[in-house]
Amino acid sequence: GENVGLHLPTLSVQEGDNSIINCAYSNSASDYFIWYKQESGKGPQFIIDIRSNMDKRQGQRVTVLLNKTVKHLSLQIAATQPGDSAVYFCAENMGGGATNKLIFGTGTLLAVQP
Amino acid sequence: DAGITQSPRYKITETGRQVTLMCHQTWSHSYMFWYRQDLGHGLRLIYYSAAADITDKGEVPDGYVVSRSKTENFPLTLESATRSQTSVYFCASSEVGGNTEAFFGQGTRLTVV
């Protein structure tokens, strides 16, 4: 598959630890944000989303935090597993609420060490 | 099977040739997108479409043409391929309206020689 890891920021964690992946977004008017996971050779897969009227949202083993003051988004993965190894992207909707124009960040490679 | 499919999965073409990448979705989603993915750049939006016959430019539209005559199809054409267009191309779709997740295809790896 496509090796997108060569120039990406990399987070290396031990299996069982918690992971925190960060993202700075660009548009203060963006009101919707998504985290995607991309495994080697595959298309991105939806993990979790959050709207701008929230500052935290939880899913299964994942939590997304939104800080609109500093335009920062983070993804927390609890009890990281080898299957979590992938590239993680944040995306923001820069089209406003009525239009879906999803712009992605450059990604972070999560490497889980057994 | 329901979903979003891209074809071909792999393509090698020569500089200057026209090439079309196909994308088909069975969900009747209103929105469709084309992204390219390159080392160090993540996913960059080329074009997107809010509905049939409505298309709009993304971040990197130069050298590409799209059409959307039917809701389920969103072909991407490189009119005269260049080496800089060597990339992995992803198609995606989402439901009507803003603020909804996009579902991605498996990608097309295009090499321009």
Side-chain angles (χ1 to χ4, degrees):
Chain A
E2 172 74 9
N3 183 352
V4 296
L6 280 180
H7 303 291
L8 288 174
T10 299
L11 175 65
S12 185
V13 299
Q14 291 294 124
E15 181 179 357
D17 287 352
N18 296 335
S19 303
I20 300 176
I21 301 171
N22 296 303
C23 174
Y25 63 92
S26 59
N27 186 357
S28 57
S30 293
D31 58 359
Y32 178 66
F33 306 88
I34 312 177
W35 279 101
Y36 280 90
K37 173 186 180 183
Q38 186 179 27
E39 297 173 310
S40 182
K42 296 183 179 180
Q45 292 179 290
F46 171 86
I47 302 174
I48 191 168
D49 59 3
I50 188 168
R51 299 179 191 278
S52 60
N53 60 353
M54 303 171 70
D55 53 21
K56 179 179 179 179
R57 190 168 188 218
Q58 289 185 290
Q60 187 177 11
R61 273 201 315 119
V62 294
T63 300
V64 55
L65 299 177
L66 174 62
N67 185 332
K68 295 182 287 294
T69 301
V70 295
K71 294 190 289 185
H72 184 266
L73 200 63
S74 68
L75 177 70
Q76 300 178 358
I77 303 174
T80 312
Q81 302 168 0
D84 295 326
S85 293
V87 178
Y88 289 81
F89 294 96
C90 66
E92 62 183 298
N93 180 13
M94 296 185 73
T99 303
N100 222 23
K101 183 179 180 182
L102 296 175
I103 302 298
F104 282 73
T106 52
T108 297
L109 175 63
L110 176 64
V112 182
Q113 309 301 323
Chain B
D1 288 339
I4 183 164
T5 55
Q6 296 182 232
S7 61
R9 289 295 311 276
Y10 303 92
K11 176 74 177 177
I12 300 174
T13 192
E14 295 179 338
T15 301
R17 290 198 179 265
Q18 182 181 85
V19 60
T20 296
L21 309 184
M22 305 302 293
C23 180
H24 176 79
Q25 52 103 356
T26 60
W27 291 305
S28 297
H29 282 169
S30 287
Y31 274 87
M32 295 188 76
F33 310 83
W34 274 107
Y35 292 87
R36 60 176 290 173
Q37 186 170 39
D38 307 287
L39 286 172
H41 291 281
L43 290 147
R44 291 183 291 176
L45 181 64
I46 304 171
Y47 270 95
Y48 66 111
S49 169
D53 298 321
I54 301 174
T55 62
D56 211 344
K57 295 179 179 179
E59 303 168 275
V60 289
D62 293 345
Y64 302 95
V65 174
V66 294
S67 61
R68 185 106 182 267
S69 58
K70 292 184 177 181
T71 299
E72 60 267 30
N73 297 323
F74 191 39
L76 175 74
T77 298
L78 289 67
E79 293 189 300
S80 178
T82 65
R83 289 197 178 89
S84 66
Q85 293 177 308
T86 291
S87 186
V88 179
Y89 291 85
F90 286 99
C91 180
S93 70
S94 69
E95 295 177 348
V96 63
N99 297 344
T100 57
E101 67 182 276
F103 298 85
F104 282 80
Q106 288 290 84
T108 294
R109 181 188 292 267
L110 176 68
T111 302
V112 183
V113 298

